[in-house]
Amino acid sequence: METQIDTPMTTRKLQPQTPFLQTSSRKSTMFYARSVVLYALLCICSTNDSKIKNASIPVRLFTEEELQRYDGSEDGQPIYMAIKGVVFDVTTGKEFYGKGAPYNALVGKDSTRAVAKMSLDPADLTHDITGLTESQLQSLEQIFKGTYKAKYPIVGYTSRRVLNEDGSPNKDFKPEDQPNFNIKDEF
């Protein structure tokens, strides 16, 4: 004789096994949405309407004599100014740097010391920063980044920045960071 054991049978309502699918679907949707936003941002940021324009000529190396040619004395010629050995095209600021303008003394040379001291004294119109105070050096850095790198395209470097006194390459030379800045083969 067989004994039957009655066990209560419990019924469980089966839930669809979709949490993974729902989570996966949400992740996929979020990834897609983020991709679309990133793509849109990249498209907007890469337009040619950037505040800082590419220099119209290649980045190059300037000797002191070559830089002097761009002092704003000739109409139609660009106006260049160097700070910390970086040569900027300040032609768009012709009312400040052009012939007879208030800051014309600063152009056509490396005027690092004059910018740091906020001076137009001919003795300060030099690259030499020896003896500047900490406050003057901080001022120089703020003006260099906040005004010149933000407003004017870099067109080159002074030979003093790139080369050592003996003409050998300066191992510490690093090009400036600037949007749309590319080092050309001429450099």
Side-chain angles (χ1 to χ4, degrees):
M1 173 157 188
E2 284 185 28
T3 336
Q4 254 187 338
I5 301 176
D6 285 328
T7 55
M9 192 169 197
T10 57
T11 53
R12 249 189 323 164
K13 189 174 180 181
L14 291 176
Q15 297 292 326
Q17 299 283 328
T18 57
F20 173 76
L21 293 175
Q22 289 173 348
T23 303
S24 177
S25 177
R26 273 190 223 129
K27 285 181 182 177
S28 177
T29 303
M30 287 302 294
F31 175 77
Y32 177 74
R34 287 180 181 151
S35 297
V36 169
V37 169
L38 180 60
Y39 177 76
L41 286 172
L42 287 173
C43 288
I44 291 167
C45 292
S46 67
T47 63
N48 290 333
D49 297 334
S50 171
K51 287 182 182 177
I52 299 175
K53 303 293 184 192
N54 281 333
S56 58
I57 61 170
V59 174
R60 58 179 270 214
L61 190 63
F62 288 89
T63 64
E64 288 180 30
E65 295 78 25
E66 288 173 320
L67 192 54
Q68 287 174 357
R69 292 185 214 153
Y70 301 96
D71 64 358
S73 61
E74 291 183 37
D75 287 336
Q77 179 137 346
I79 304 169
Y80 293 168
M81 170 183 180
I83 301 173
K84 295 174 56 175
V86 180
V87 181
F88 295 95
D89 182 343
V90 296
T91 308
T92 57
K94 192 185 310 188
E95 65 276 6
F96 300 109
Y97 302 105
K99 186 177 182 177
Y103 301 116
N104 179 256
L106 299 172
V107 300
K109 59 184 73 63
D110 190 325
S111 300
T112 302
R113 183 179 197 83
V115 170
K117 292 179 74 175
M118 296 184 192
S119 166
L120 294 175
D121 183 341
D124 291 328
L125 299 173
T126 178
H127 69 280
D128 188 13
I129 58 170
T130 306
L132 292 179
T133 66
E134 187 62 34
S135 173
Q136 289 168 331
L137 291 171
Q138 288 175 356
S139 174
L140 171 64
E141 195 61 30
Q142 288 174 346
I143 294 168
F144 178 74
K145 287 182 178 176
T147 302
Y148 291 95
K149 282 180 68 176
K151 285 177 87 172
Y152 301 110
I154 296 172
V155 293
Y157 295 92
T158 61
S159 55
R160 186 177 307 278
R161 167 128 182 196
V162 178
L163 304 173
N164 295 319
E165 294 292 325
D166 65 359
S168 64
N170 177 357
K171 303 253 189 257
D172 297 326
F173 170 73
K174 292 183 178 57
E176 294 305 310
D177 295 327
Q178 183 175 357
N180 302 318
F181 177 72
N182 295 312
I183 294 180
K184 303 290 183 184
D185 294 335
E186 292 85 351
F187 188 59

